[in-house]
Amino acid sequence: MSTTSVIVIIVVAVVVVVALVAGALMLMRKQRARQRAEAEDIRARATEQEFEVGQREARADEIAARSRAAKAEAEAKSAQAEQLAQQAHVHRGDAADSRADLDKEWERADEVDPDTKSGHASE
């Protein structure tokens, strides 16, 4: 093989290698451009969903606040019910004492009354 042929083959090989490298670089650029476009689409969809997600979070916060308020109200009602139950217990005791006193008064009245049919009426 002549020197010219070797040079031509080397030049052709270098051109082929340069073309392959250039093609590979072009493919990588296209792939990066597609990836950038895909990332932009994803970001656009995420931006659209941001408002809706914010509304959901706000709704969840509102419901949680209402839950805490209802729980506090229930605890207050429970404390009030306990206080009322204690008052009722005290009043029942007072009423029982009053009933006992009243029964004693009825018995005393019967003892004093000469017309009652107790053991004292025949005297």
Side-chain angles (χ1 to χ4, degrees), residues 15-77:
V15 169
V16 169
V17 169
V18 169
L20 289 174
V21 169
L25 288 175
M26 219 161 105
L27 286 176
M28 286 179 15
R29 283 187 200 136
K30 285 182 182 181
Q31 183 180 9
R32 284 186 180 168
R34 277 194 307 272
Q35 288 173 332
R36 285 186 187 102
E38 182 180 357
E40 187 61 33
D41 289 344
I42 293 169
R43 286 186 183 99
R45 286 191 305 269
T47 299
E48 290 171 2
Q49 293 174 357
E50 185 74 32
F51 179 73
E52 185 178 324
V53 170
Q55 283 184 321
R56 287 180 183 166
E57 289 170 339
R59 179 75 172 140
D61 290 345
E62 176 188 341
I63 291 171
R66 286 175 36 203
S67 171
R68 287 189 300 274
K71 184 177 179 181
E73 184 178 340
E75 289 171 356
K77 292 282 186 182

Side-chain angles (χ1 to χ4, degrees), residues 64-119:
R66 286 175 36 203
S67 171
R68 287 189 300 274
K71 184 177 179 181
E73 184 178 340
E75 289 171 356
K77 292 282 186 182
S78 177
Q80 182 182 16
E82 183 62 32
Q83 183 182 17
L84 290 172
Q86 289 175 357
Q87 289 176 3
H89 180 73
V90 169
H91 286 292
R92 277 193 200 101
D94 291 346
D97 292 344
S98 296
R99 175 58 65 190
D101 291 344
L102 182 61
D103 288 345
K104 286 179 185 175
E105 286 296 310
W106 282 109
E107 289 174 16
R108 188 169 157 251
D110 287 345
E111 289 174 6
V112 171
D113 187 356
D115 296 330
T116 58
K117 297 182 181 180
S118 67

